[in-house]
Amino acid sequence: MMNWRDYWNQDTPIYSGERHKLLHYKRVASDIIGHIPSRDAIVLDYGCGEALFADQVAAKCRKLYLSDAAPLVRERLQAKFGAAERIAILSPDQVANIADASLDLIVVNSLLQYLSLDELRGLLKLWRAKLKSGGQVVIADVIPPDVSPITDAKALLSFAWHGGFLKSALAGLARTAFSEYRKIREEIGLAQYSEDEMVDILQDAGFTPERAPRNFGHNQARMTFIGRVA
């Protein structure tokens, strides 16, 4: 049976077309920039995906690390940003080599749903070690237990309507209904957390947590949390 890591290590139908993909990554880049504390900051985007606008993020900080578990994604990142002085592309294993207490910001967008609770706790321990005192981890696109695929579809269609790709979004939803994504979601599921659960998990990992006023991206039924290192 395919797992989530295998699924993302290929071309997937998760985006309905190029415009959807571009608008998604552009909005996420803008959200990340909004959390960068200064132009001297060192930032890690963990589980970054193709990060199409990483150059814009890197322009707002001193150093940007991009890390993704999928080798295919890292190859594409290397091809696009490998020559960029401020950007470094890492595998998840290589993140452990970043100096402790050296990062100002870690961004984790739309990743938690694909992790087990034990994996999440292990990563939070790693992330906390890499953050400076006063640094932050921003965990975005957390799915609450009461958010259904129908809610997600409605949010996508609203995004598509305003972004000018409604027709391709409708076709994309139809494709997804018969795709490997749906099959894996049914067989493995997606991790979901309430606000109270996320607060407890972050506190247990040594962070001072709060829920951000808005989520990254287009789906405001999902949640973003900020964990600060005391």
Side-chain angles (χ1 to χ4, degrees):
M1 182 178 66
M2 178 178 285
N3 58 33
W4 284 121
R5 182 172 294 191
D6 294 335
Y7 177 80
W8 290 111
N9 192 38
Q10 61 178 339
D11 289 311
T12 72
I14 202 70
Y15 301 107
S16 63
E18 194 63 22
R19 182 167 178 79
H20 177 193
K21 189 176 185 179
L22 286 168
L23 289 176
H24 164 77
Y25 278 112
K26 189 172 184 64
R27 179 171 288 194
V28 170
S30 177
D31 289 331
I32 293 172
I33 288 168
H35 285 272
I36 295 175
S38 75
R39 287 188 175 271
D40 198 43
I42 302 176
V43 179
L44 167 64
D45 185 353
Y46 192 94
C48 60
E50 292 187 48
L52 298 179
F53 296 92
D55 53 339
Q56 295 183 12
V57 178
K60 301 296 183 179
C61 61
R62 176 153 55 103
K63 185 75 175 182
L64 174 64
Y65 293 105
L66 300 174
S67 179
D68 198 275
L72 177 63
V73 172
R74 294 199 302 274
E75 287 174 13
R76 290 176 176 173
L77 291 170
Q78 193 66 44
K80 188 173 178 65
F81 301 116
E85 183 178 352
R86 295 187 180 186
I87 298 175
I89 297 144
L90 307 176
S91 69
D93 289 343
Q94 290 173 318
V95 171
N97 297 328
I98 296 174
D100 287 353
S102 65
L103 300 178
D104 297 280
L105 173 67
I106 299 174
V107 175
V108 187
N109 179 51
S110 201
L111 176 66
L112 261 62
Q113 57 263 44
Y114 306 117
L115 302 175
S116 69
L117 180 56
D118 285 344
E119 287 172 326
L120 172 58
R121 291 190 188 279
L123 285 170
L124 284 168
K125 183 178 179 180
L126 172 68
W127 296 334
R128 193 184 187 286
K130 301 306 173 185
L131 284 166
K132 298 176 181 178
S133 177
Q136 299 181 6
V137 60
V138 178
I139 302 177
D141 218 37
V142 178
I143 306 175
D146 58 349
V147 170
S148 71
I150 293 174
T151 302
D152 289 342
K154 288 180 178 178
L156 172 60
L157 292 176
S158 176
F159 182 43
W161 171 259
H162 291 97
F165 61 97
L166 181 60
K167 185 176 179 179
S168 68
L170 288 166
L173 285 172
R175 286 196 306 273
T176 301
F178 298 97
S179 70
E180 289 177 320
Y181 185 93
R182 181 191 61 81
K183 294 175 184 176
I184 301 172
R185 182 166 179 167
E186 289 178 350
E187 292 170 352
I188 300 178
L190 296 175
Q192 298 174 314
Y193 298 96
S194 69
E195 182 173 348
D196 288 344
E197 286 172 331
M198 282 301 302
V199 166
D200 287 345
I201 289 167
L202 285 165
Q203 284 178 334
D204 288 345
F207 292 95
T208 301
E210 67 172 292
R211 181 176 173 181
R214 66 175 303 278
N215 184 37
F216 276 27
H218 69 275
N219 191 344
Q220 295 307 305
R222 299 185 179 190
M223 303 179 291
T224 290
F225 294 88
I226 301 169
R228 292 182 171 85
V229 178

Coordinates of all heavy atoms in Angstrom, one line a residue, residues 15-64:
Y15 N -3.3 19.7 -7.5 CA -3.6 21.0 -8.0 C -4.3 20.8 -9.3 O -4.0 19.9 -10.1 CB -2.3 21.8 -8.2 CG -1.5 22.0 -7.0 CD1 -0.3 21.2 -6.8 CD2 -1.9 22.8 -6.0 CE1 0.4 21.4 -5.6 CE2 -1.2 23.0 -4.8 CZ 0.0 22.3 -4.6 OH 0.7 22.4 -3.5
S16 N -5.3 21.6 -9.5 CA -6.2 21.5 -10.7 C -5.6 22.0 -11.9 O -6.0 21.6 -13.0 CB -7.5 22.2 -10.4 OG -7.3 23.6 -10.3
G17 N -4.5 22.7 -11.8 CA -3.8 23.2 -13.0 C -2.7 24.2 -12.6 O -2.5 24.4 -11.4
E18 N -2.0 24.7 -13.5 CA -0.8 25.5 -13.2 C -1.2 26.8 -12.5 O -0.5 27.3 -11.6 CB -0.1 25.9 -14.5 CG 1.3 26.4 -14.3 CD 2.3 25.5 -13.6 OE1 2.0 24.2 -13.6 OE2 3.2 26.0 -12.9
R19 N -2.4 27.4 -12.8 CA -2.8 28.6 -12.1 C -3.1 28.4 -10.7 O -2.7 29.1 -9.8 CB -4.0 29.3 -12.8 CG -4.4 30.6 -12.2 CD -5.4 31.3 -13.1 NE -5.8 32.6 -12.4 CZ -5.1 33.7 -12.4 NH1 -3.9 33.7 -13.0 NH2 -5.6 34.8 -11.8
H20 N -3.8 27.3 -10.4 CA -4.0 26.9 -9.0 C -2.7 26.7 -8.2 O -2.6 27.3 -7.1 CB -4.8 25.6 -9.0 CG -5.1 25.0 -7.6 ND1 -5.6 23.8 -7.4 CD2 -5.0 25.6 -6.4 CE1 -5.8 23.6 -6.1 NE2 -5.4 24.7 -5.5
K21 N -1.8 26.0 -8.8 CA -0.5 25.8 -8.1 C 0.2 27.1 -7.9 O 0.7 27.3 -6.8 CB 0.3 24.8 -9.0 CG 1.6 24.3 -8.4 CD 2.2 23.3 -9.4 CE 3.4 22.6 -8.8 NZ 4.0 21.7 -9.8
L22 N 0.3 27.9 -8.9 CA 1.0 29.2 -8.7 C 0.4 30.1 -7.6 O 1.0 30.7 -6.8 CB 1.0 30.0 -10.0 CG 2.0 29.4 -11.1 CD1 1.7 30.1 -12.4 CD2 3.5 29.7 -10.7
L23 N -1.0 30.2 -7.7 CA -1.7 31.0 -6.7 C -1.5 30.5 -5.3 O -1.4 31.2 -4.3 CB -3.1 31.2 -7.1 CG -3.4 32.0 -8.3 CD1 -4.9 32.0 -8.6 CD2 -2.9 33.5 -8.1
H24 N -1.6 29.1 -5.2 CA -1.4 28.5 -3.9 C 0.0 28.9 -3.3 O 0.1 29.4 -2.1 CB -1.5 27.0 -4.0 CG -1.0 26.3 -2.8 ND1 -1.6 26.2 -1.6 CD2 0.2 25.6 -2.6 CE1 -0.9 25.5 -0.7 NE2 0.2 25.1 -1.3
Y25 N 1.0 28.6 -4.0 CA 2.4 28.9 -3.5 C 2.7 30.3 -3.3 O 3.4 30.7 -2.4 CB 3.4 28.2 -4.4 CG 3.6 26.7 -4.2 CD1 3.2 25.8 -5.1 CD2 4.2 26.3 -3.0 CE1 3.4 24.4 -4.9 CE2 4.4 24.9 -2.7 CZ 4.0 24.0 -3.7 OH 4.1 22.7 -3.4
K26 N 2.1 31.2 -4.1 CA 2.3 32.6 -4.0 C 1.7 33.1 -2.6 O 2.3 33.9 -1.9 CB 1.7 33.4 -5.1 CG 2.0 34.9 -5.1 CD 1.5 35.5 -6.4 CE 1.9 37.0 -6.5 NZ 3.4 37.2 -6.5
R27 N 0.5 32.6 -2.3 CA -0.2 33.0 -1.1 C 0.6 32.4 0.1 O 0.8 33.1 1.1 CB -1.6 32.5 -1.1 CG -2.4 32.8 0.2 CD -3.8 32.5 0.2 NE -4.6 33.4 -0.7 CZ -5.9 33.6 -0.7 NH1 -6.6 32.8 0.1 NH2 -6.5 34.4 -1.5
V28 N 1.1 31.2 0.0 CA 1.8 30.6 1.2 C 3.1 31.4 1.4 O 3.5 31.7 2.5 CB 2.1 29.1 0.9 CG1 3.1 28.6 1.9 CG2 0.8 28.3 1.0
A29 N 3.8 31.8 0.3 CA 5.0 32.6 0.4 C 4.7 33.9 1.1 O 5.5 34.3 2.0 CB 5.6 32.8 -1.0
S30 N 3.6 34.5 0.8 CA 3.2 35.8 1.4 C 2.9 35.5 2.9 O 3.3 36.4 3.8 CB 2.0 36.3 0.7 OG 1.5 37.5 1.4
D31 N 2.3 34.4 3.2 CA 2.0 34.1 4.6 C 3.3 33.9 5.4 O 3.5 34.3 6.6 CB 1.1 32.9 4.7 CG -0.3 33.1 4.3 OD1 -0.8 34.3 4.4 OD2 -0.9 32.2 3.8
I32 N 4.3 33.2 4.8 CA 5.6 33.0 5.5 C 6.3 34.3 5.7 O 6.8 34.6 6.8 CB 6.5 32.0 4.6 CG1 5.8 30.6 4.6 CG2 7.9 32.0 5.2 CD1 6.6 29.7 3.6
I33 N 6.3 35.1 4.7 CA 7.0 36.4 4.8 C 6.4 37.2 6.0 O 7.1 37.9 6.7 CB 6.9 37.2 3.5 CG1 7.8 36.6 2.5 CG2 7.2 38.7 3.7 CD1 7.6 37.1 1.1
G34 N 5.1 37.1 6.2 CA 4.4 37.8 7.3 C 4.9 37.4 8.7 O 4.7 38.2 9.6
H35 N 5.5 36.3 8.8 CA 6.0 35.8 10.1 C 7.5 36.0 10.2 O 8.0 35.7 11.3 CB 5.6 34.3 10.3 CG 4.2 34.1 10.6 ND1 3.7 34.1 11.9 CD2 3.1 33.9 9.8 CE1 2.4 33.9 11.8 NE2 2.0 33.8 10.6
I36 N 8.2 36.4 9.2 CA 9.7 36.6 9.3 C 9.9 37.8 10.2 O 9.5 38.9 9.9 CB 10.3 36.7 8.0 CG1 10.1 35.4 7.1 CG2 11.8 37.1 8.1 CD1 10.7 35.5 5.7
P37 N 10.7 37.6 11.3 CA 10.8 38.7 12.3 C 11.7 39.9 11.8 O 11.6 41.0 12.3 CB 11.4 38.0 13.5 CG 12.1 36.8 13.0 CD 11.3 36.4 11.8
S38 N 12.7 39.6 11.0 CA 13.6 40.6 10.5 C 14.4 40.1 9.3 O 14.4 38.9 8.9 CB 14.7 41.0 11.6 OG 15.6 39.9 11.7
R39 N 15.0 41.0 8.6 CA 15.8 40.7 7.4 C 17.1 39.9 7.8 O 17.7 39.3 6.9 CB 16.2 41.9 6.6 CG 15.0 42.5 5.8 CD 15.4 43.6 4.9 NE 14.3 44.1 4.1 CZ 13.9 43.6 2.9 NH1 14.6 42.6 2.4 NH2 12.9 44.1 2.3
D40 N 17.4 39.8 9.0 CA 18.6 39.1 9.5 C 18.2 37.7 9.9 O 19.0 36.9 10.4 CB 19.3 39.9 10.6 CG 20.7 39.4 10.8 OD1 21.4 39.2 9.8 OD2 21.1 39.2 12.0
A41 N 16.9 37.3 9.8 CA 16.5 36.1 10.3 C 16.9 34.9 9.5 O 17.1 35.0 8.3 CB 14.9 36.1 10.4
I42 N 17.1 33.7 10.2 CA 17.4 32.5 9.5 C 16.2 31.6 9.7 O 15.6 31.4 10.8 CB 18.6 31.8 10.2 CG1 19.8 32.7 10.1 CG2 18.9 30.5 9.5 CD1 21.1 32.2 10.7
V43 N 15.7 31.1 8.5 CA 14.3 30.5 8.4 C 14.4 29.1 7.9 O 15.2 28.9 6.9 CB 13.4 31.4 7.5 CG1 12.0 30.7 7.4 CG2 13.3 32.8 8.1
L44 N 13.6 28.2 8.4 CA 13.5 26.8 7.9 C 12.1 26.6 7.4 O 11.2 26.8 8.3 CB 13.9 25.8 8.9 CG 13.5 24.3 8.6 CD1 14.2 23.8 7.4 CD2 13.8 23.4 9.8
D45 N 11.9 26.3 6.2 CA 10.5 25.8 5.7 C 10.6 24.3 5.6 O 11.2 23.8 4.7 CB 10.3 26.5 4.3 CG 8.8 26.2 3.8 OD1 8.1 25.4 4.5 OD2 8.5 26.8 2.8
Y46 N 9.9 23.7 6.6 CA 10.0 22.2 6.7 C 8.8 21.6 6.1 O 7.7 21.9 6.4 CB 10.1 21.8 8.2 CG 10.5 20.4 8.4 CD1 11.8 20.0 8.6 CD2 9.5 19.4 8.4 CE1 12.1 18.7 8.8 CE2 9.8 18.0 8.6 CZ 11.1 17.7 8.8 OH 11.5 16.4 9.0
G47 N 9.0 20.7 5.1 CA 7.9 20.1 4.4 C 7.4 21.1 3.3 O 6.2 21.3 3.2
C48 N 8.3 21.7 2.7 CA 8.1 23.0 1.9 C 7.4 22.7 0.6 O 6.8 23.7 0.0 CB 9.4 23.7 1.6 SG 10.6 22.7 0.6
G49 N 7.4 21.5 0.1 CA 6.8 21.3 -1.3 C 7.7 22.0 -2.3 O 8.9 22.2 -2.1
E50 N 7.1 22.3 -3.4 CA 7.9 22.9 -4.5 C 8.3 24.4 -4.3 O 9.1 24.9 -5.0 CB 7.2 22.8 -5.8 CG 7.1 21.3 -6.3 CD 6.6 21.1 -7.7 OE1 7.0 21.9 -8.6 OE2 5.7 20.3 -7.9
A51 N 7.6 25.0 -3.3 CA 8.0 26.4 -2.8 C 8.4 27.3 -4.0 O 9.5 27.9 -4.1 CB 9.2 26.3 -1.9
L52 N 7.4 27.5 -4.9 CA 7.7 28.1 -6.2 C 8.2 29.6 -6.0 O 8.9 30.1 -6.9 CB 6.5 28.1 -7.1 CG 6.0 26.7 -7.5 CD1 4.7 26.8 -8.3 CD2 7.1 25.9 -8.2
F53 N 7.9 30.2 -4.9 CA 8.3 31.6 -4.7 C 9.2 31.7 -3.5 O 9.3 32.7 -2.8 CB 7.0 32.5 -4.4 CG 6.1 32.5 -5.6 CD1 5.1 31.6 -5.8 CD2 6.3 33.4 -6.6 CE1 4.2 31.6 -6.9 CE2 5.5 33.5 -7.8 CZ 4.4 32.5 -7.9
A54 N 10.1 30.7 -3.3 CA 11.0 30.7 -2.2 C 12.0 31.9 -2.4 O 12.6 32.4 -1.4 CB 11.8 29.4 -2.2
D55 N 12.3 32.3 -3.6 CA 13.2 33.4 -3.8 C 12.7 34.7 -3.2 O 13.4 35.5 -2.7 CB 13.5 33.6 -5.3 CG 12.2 33.8 -6.2 OD1 11.1 33.3 -5.7 OD2 12.3 34.3 -7.3
Q56 N 11.3 34.9 -3.2 CA 10.7 36.0 -2.6 C 10.8 36.0 -1.1 O 11.0 37.0 -0.4 CB 9.3 36.2 -3.0 CG 9.1 36.4 -4.5 CD 7.6 36.6 -4.9 OE1 6.8 36.8 -4.1 NE2 7.4 36.6 -6.2
V57 N 10.7 34.8 -0.5 CA 10.8 34.6 0.9 C 12.3 34.8 1.3 O 12.6 35.5 2.3 CB 10.4 33.2 1.3 CG1 10.6 33.0 2.8 CG2 9.0 32.9 1.0
A58 N 13.2 34.3 0.5 CA 14.7 34.4 0.8 C 15.1 35.9 0.8 O 16.0 36.3 1.5 CB 15.5 33.6 -0.1
A59 N 14.4 36.7 0.0 CA 14.8 38.1 -0.1 C 14.4 38.9 1.1 O 14.9 40.0 1.3 CB 14.0 38.7 -1.3
K60 N 13.6 38.3 2.0 CA 13.2 38.9 3.2 C 13.9 38.4 4.5 O 13.6 38.8 5.6 CB 11.7 38.7 3.4 CG 10.8 39.3 2.3 CD 10.9 40.8 2.2 CE 10.0 41.3 1.1 NZ 10.0 42.8 1.0
C61 N 14.9 37.5 4.3 CA 15.7 37.0 5.4 C 17.1 36.8 5.0 O 17.5 37.0 3.9 CB 15.0 35.7 5.9 SG 15.0 34.4 4.8
R62 N 17.9 36.4 6.0 CA 19.4 36.2 5.7 C 19.6 34.9 5.1 O 20.4 34.8 4.2 CB 20.2 36.4 7.0 CG 21.6 36.1 6.8 CD 22.5 36.8 7.9 NE 22.1 36.6 9.2 CZ 22.8 35.7 10.1 NH1 23.8 35.1 9.6 NH2 22.3 35.6 11.3
K63 N 18.9 33.8 5.5 CA 19.1 32.5 5.0 C 17.8 31.7 5.1 O 17.0 31.8 6.1 CB 20.1 31.7 5.9 CG 20.5 30.4 5.4 CD 21.4 30.5 4.1 CE 21.9 29.1 3.7 NZ 22.9 29.2 2.5
L64 N 17.5 31.0 4.0 CA 16.3 30.2 4.0 C 16.7 28.7 3.7 O 17.2 28.4 2.6 CB 15.3 30.7 2.9 CG 14.1 29.8 2.6 CD1 13.2 29.8 3.9 CD2 13.3 30.4 1.4

